[in-house]
Amino acid sequence: MDDLTLSLLPLTTSAEEGERAARAALLPVGSLEQHGPHLPLVTDTVIACDLARHLADAHPLRLLPPVTVGCSHEHAAWPGTVSVSAPTLYAVVGDIAASLGDTVLVLVNGHGGNHVLANLVQESGGRMALFPGPHDWEAARVAAGMATDNDGDMHAGELETSVLLHTHPELVRPGYEHADHTTGARDHMLTVGLAPYTVSGVAGRPSLATAAKGRALLAALTEAFAGYLAALGEPERSGIEKRRSPGRN
């Protein structure tokens, strides 16, 4: 495997996981779908994995390998897009959650079209959480100094391009500075897909992207995550804080 693939996968042993005995696990959920001419099909999966690793570095959590194909039917008009049905995604993630036993599960979702994950969490009786929510993304945009919002910068825009410029700049193809496309209202996207609203597949402002914004966005999301752990009944203190000696401030 190459360095990128390894960076997206947890490489712990069974013995190491047993010693850690984490009471909560992180499951990145992404997609395999077009992201315009400048970002790879695996963009959502890479971003979900990058965010999950930041969360695992900040908190005593178990990191799981990603679910790499999601519900991307609205992108079917573009080559390379692959989807599973909502019941299939529901079943796969539900089976993973069930196999964890007493370990609660956080779904770190990188694709907005994976709507069914919200229903799965809703039914879990407090055993699962879905992160980030739309309000988390929006607040992180503000904290990172982004000029766009969730609605106007929906796909392959300032946010996603910024994160990859920070974490994996080699994945961003040349020309993103000239790939902007704003769609206006997309009232019927669930019915007709994204294609009627954009020829390139971009719905946003990638020209505004910077690595610094991507770094700040991930930091803001990591800070916001403590509230989700509290809702699951897990300690909010980070792994770094847990390792401090009693005498340190």
Side-chain angles (χ1 to χ4, degrees):
M1 295 188 195
D2 58 27
D3 291 341
L4 172 61
T5 302
L6 288 177
S7 73
L8 301 180
L9 297 174
L11 301 177
T12 53
T13 66
S14 178
E16 289 165 346
E17 290 297 348
E19 181 179 351
R20 177 172 22 202
R23 292 186 295 170
L26 299 163
L27 178 65
V29 185
S31 71
L32 186 65
E33 64 183 37
Q34 71 83 21
H35 273 76
H38 64 289
L39 297 181
L41 294 160
V42 295
T43 291
D44 289 341
T45 299
V46 171
I47 290 175
C49 288
D50 287 337
L51 176 56
R53 189 166 295 280
H54 274 70
L55 300 178
D57 287 343
H59 302 276
L61 304 170
R62 180 180 176 186
L63 182 60
L64 301 175
V67 176
T68 59
V69 179
C71 301
S72 300
H73 305 86
E74 69 273 27
H75 298 279
W78 286 273
T81 298
V82 176
S83 290
V84 296
S85 69
T88 296
L89 183 60
Y90 180 101
V92 168
V93 175
D95 284 351
I96 291 171
S99 76
L100 290 171
D102 293 334
T103 304
V104 297
L105 182 62
V106 179
L107 309 180
V108 182
N109 182 37
H111 173 48
N114 291 334
H115 306 292
V116 71
L117 297 180
N119 295 120
L120 184 60
V121 171
Q122 181 186 39
E123 298 169 6
S124 71
R127 300 289 304 164
M128 300 171 66
L130 181 61
F131 181 78
H135 60 288
D136 300 306
W137 288 114
E138 204 69 83
R141 283 179 182 272
V142 173
M146 294 189 180
T148 57
D149 59 19
N150 287 345
D151 184 64
D153 193 65
M154 184 201 83
H155 193 69
E158 181 182 20
L159 188 152
E160 291 183 314
T161 307
S162 290
V163 173
L164 289 193
L165 284 174
H166 167 51
T167 59
H168 305 285
E170 72 280 3
L171 297 183
V172 181
R173 274 59 168 182
Y176 72 90
E177 304 92 338
H178 310 292
D180 288 8
H181 178 76
T182 53
T183 68
R186 299 176 297 275
D187 295 339
H188 304 290
M189 190 179 74
L190 285 179
T191 300
V192 301
L194 184 60
Y197 301 100
T198 170
V199 173
S200 68
V202 175
R205 302 284 308 279
S207 68
L208 301 177
T210 68
K213 291 178 182 177
R215 183 184 307 111
L217 180 114
L218 290 176
L221 289 174
T222 301
E223 183 176 353
F225 182 64
Y228 287 78
L229 287 182
L232 287 168
E234 291 301 305
E236 293 188 43
R237 290 183 300 161
S238 72
I240 294 174
E241 289 170 333
K242 280 179 171 287
R243 288 193 293 270
R244 288 176 177 167
S245 62
R248 291 184 61 183
N249 295 322

